[in-house]
């Protein structure tokens, strides 16, 4: 099985039809709706899985994943890659510390939602920041994703050991006020976990932005590097969910390559910081 696998020549229309049928099948059999995810990246990931399964056609993959739950789980983990970091984009977290944390601190109680949290690093970054700003005890952080393996890593507070140095530097660049080692248990050489107290104010849960409804009203919503995988129609649908889930004056934080512009909701926010994609709900 070592020889290189070569994707077969494919008729474009037929490929599109088979991918649509596969996505319809995933939705009807398992309830995961990828039908409106951006096509080029879906297509790439599907072919990657076809190669790993030593199959030749999209239909063969469909047959396998519909009959074999484990094969479906393998495909799912290709379709929802949980790439993330602690204090990813340190400049954003420095900005949050300076500008958003004081606004959140003035509230009697702050609810923050990390939608598409992957293995939880963004939520933990926020917990550390809020603790240092003295407002963690009156905050609740909700961190959700559709990838249950990633959520388990998040609940276990596991952080890959090879990223310790990078995370320490990110933390310092984000304006961290303490020694990063204080937030960590274990030996960075062997793998480490974040301190147990950090997830006391975090609720991790499965939530699908495409098929599930809002579950609370939030003062800040992070939805970073999630909607890049969605097509424009789905992006608008998810923006509606986020908008309806935000309190008046609440903050929406998108990923560095995302924007509220060209969505149906662009008039409903004022831009607080264009570089860091921070928006405030105005009406
Ligand atoms: C690239 S990660 C981003 C993680 C984190 N927000 C960050 O920026 O570091 C994208 C995450 O979005 C999640 N995701 C994809 N589709 C989703 C959906 N429909 N509902 C909830 N989460 C979803 C994936 O499972 C993945 O963990």
């Amino acid at each position: 099985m070592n020889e290189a696998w070569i994707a077969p020549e494919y008729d474009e229309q037929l490929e599109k039809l088979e991918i649509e049928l596969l996505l319809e099948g995933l939705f009807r059999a398992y309830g995961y709706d990828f039908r409106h995810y951006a096509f080029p990246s879906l297509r790439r990931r599907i072919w990657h899985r076809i190669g790993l399964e030593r199959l030749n056609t999209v239909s063969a993959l469909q047959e396998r994943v519909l009959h074999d739950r484990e094969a479906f789980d393998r495909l799912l983990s290709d379709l929802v890659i949980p790439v993330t970091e602690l204090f990813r984009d340190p400049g954003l977290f420095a900005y949050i510390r300076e500008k958003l944390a004081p606004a959140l601190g003035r509230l009697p109680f702050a609810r923050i939602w990390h939608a598409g949290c992957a293995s939880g690093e963004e939520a933990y970054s926020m917990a550390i920041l809020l603790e240092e700003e003295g407002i963690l005890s009156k905050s609740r952080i909700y961190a959700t994703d559709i990838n249950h393996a990633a959520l388990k890593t998040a609940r276990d507070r596991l952080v890959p050991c090879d990223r310790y140095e990078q995370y320490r530097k990110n933390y310092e660049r984000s304006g961290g006020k303490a020694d990063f080692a204080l937030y960590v248990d274990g030996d960075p050489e062997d793998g480490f976990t974040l301190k147990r107290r950090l997830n006391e104010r975090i609720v991790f849960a499965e939530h699908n932005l495409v098929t599930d409804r809002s579950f609370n009203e939030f003062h800040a919503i992070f939805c970073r590097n999630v909607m890049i995988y969605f097509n424009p129609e789905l992006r608008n649908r998810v923006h509606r969910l986020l908008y309806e889930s935000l309190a008046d004056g609440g903050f929406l934080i998108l990923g560095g390559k995302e924007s509220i512009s060209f969505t149906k909701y662009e008039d409903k926010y004022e831009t607080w910081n264009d570089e860091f994609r921070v928006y405030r709900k105005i009406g």
Side-chain angles (χ1 to χ4, degrees):
M1 284 294 194
N2 281 338
E3 73 276 18
W5 182 88
I6 301 165
E9 297 260 321
Y10 234 79
D11 175 87
E12 229 177 83
Q13 291 304 315
L14 181 61
E15 182 199 40
K16 189 162 181 296
L17 171 64
E18 287 191 79
I19 290 180
E20 282 170 9
L21 291 172
L22 167 68
L23 300 180
E24 185 67 28
L26 295 183
F27 178 51
R28 289 172 57 176
Y30 297 108
Y32 285 88
D33 189 356
F34 294 106
R35 293 174 299 174
H36 304 284
Y37 279 46
F39 191 76
S41 114
L42 264 184
R43 177 179 179 271
R44 214 173 36 249
R45 287 157 192 237
I46 287 169
W47 278 109
H48 174 72
R49 178 46 49 194
I50 292 171
L52 292 176
E53 301 282 329
R54 311 301 293 182
L55 299 170
N56 284 307
T57 62
V58 180
S59 296
L61 180 66
Q62 174 180 318
E63 204 231 336
R64 182 164 294 174
V65 298
L66 291 185
H67 289 273
D68 177 349
R69 171 76 209 206
E70 285 177 12
F72 165 69
D73 285 338
R74 292 195 292 275
L75 173 61
L76 186 62
S77 60
D78 291 329
L79 297 182
V80 289
I81 296 178
V83 182
T84 188
E85 283 172 26
L86 268 184
F87 294 96
R88 184 180 197 175
D89 303 325
L92 166 69
F93 282 93
Y95 179 82
I96 290 174
R97 191 184 286 276
E98 196 191 331
K99 303 282 187 203
L100 260 67
L104 295 174
R106 283 191 288 276
L107 297 166
F109 192 83
R111 281 184 301 276
I112 296 147
W113 181 16
H114 294 268
C117 68
S119 43
E121 279 82 341
E122 193 182 81
Y124 283 111
S125 308
M126 201 57 187
I128 291 172
L129 187 155
L130 294 176
E131 183 180 83
E132 291 184 359
E133 297 308 310
I135 43 180
L136 183 61
S137 59
K138 57 167 191 154
S139 307
R140 173 80 64 210
I141 297 171
Y142 298 81
T144 61
D145 203 284
I146 52 173
N147 183 330
H148 39 258
L151 284 172
K152 176 164 181 359
T153 306
R155 285 191 191 98
D156 292 344
R157 300 165 286 122
L158 295 174
V159 180
C161 47
D162 56 341
R163 306 193 81 177
Y164 182 87
E165 253 327 282
Q166 182 201 349
Y167 287 174
R168 191 185 59 73
K169 282 190 192 140
N170 280 1
Y171 167 73
E172 282 172 9
R173 288 187 192 129
S174 75
K177 291 182 171 167
D179 179 349
F180 179 63
L182 292 173
Y183 295 110
V184 167
D185 273 330
D187 179 354
E189 298 283 309
D190 306 330
F192 61 97
T193 54
L194 294 164
K195 291 275 187 204
R196 176 173 296 280
R197 70 167 196 284
L198 290 174
N199 71 9
E200 280 169 7
R201 310 296 304 171
I202 309 179
V203 178
F204 289 107
E206 267 188 61
H207 179 276
N208 190 327
L209 287 162
V210 180
T211 49
D212 295 337
R213 287 168 181 249
S214 177
F215 56 95
N216 213 324
E217 186 182 73
F218 302 95
H219 304 102
I221 300 179
F222 291 71
C223 189
R224 302 175 65 218
N225 310 304
V226 180
M227 285 187 273
I228 38 173
Y229 301 112
F230 299 173
N231 73 14
E233 179 200 332
L234 180 55
R235 233 173 265 159
N236 274 321
R237 261 170 55 199
V238 174
H239 269 299
R240 177 175 175 183
L241 170 70
L242 301 181
Y243 177 77
E244 290 176 353
S245 304
L246 261 183
D248 288 343
F251 297 98
L252 174 68
I253 300 107
L254 301 177
K257 295 196 181 86
E258 297 165 309
S259 172
I260 193 73
S261 305
F262 308 112
T263 73
K264 286 186 182 161
Y265 289 81
E266 65 175 314
D267 298 340
K268 310 252 179 219
Y269 291 91
E270 64 181 357
T271 301
W272 257 43
N273 186 295
D274 196 36
E275 182 187 354
F276 298 126
R277 313 294 166 159
V278 179
Y279 306 94
R280 189 165 204 186
K281 177 171 171 174
I282 48 175

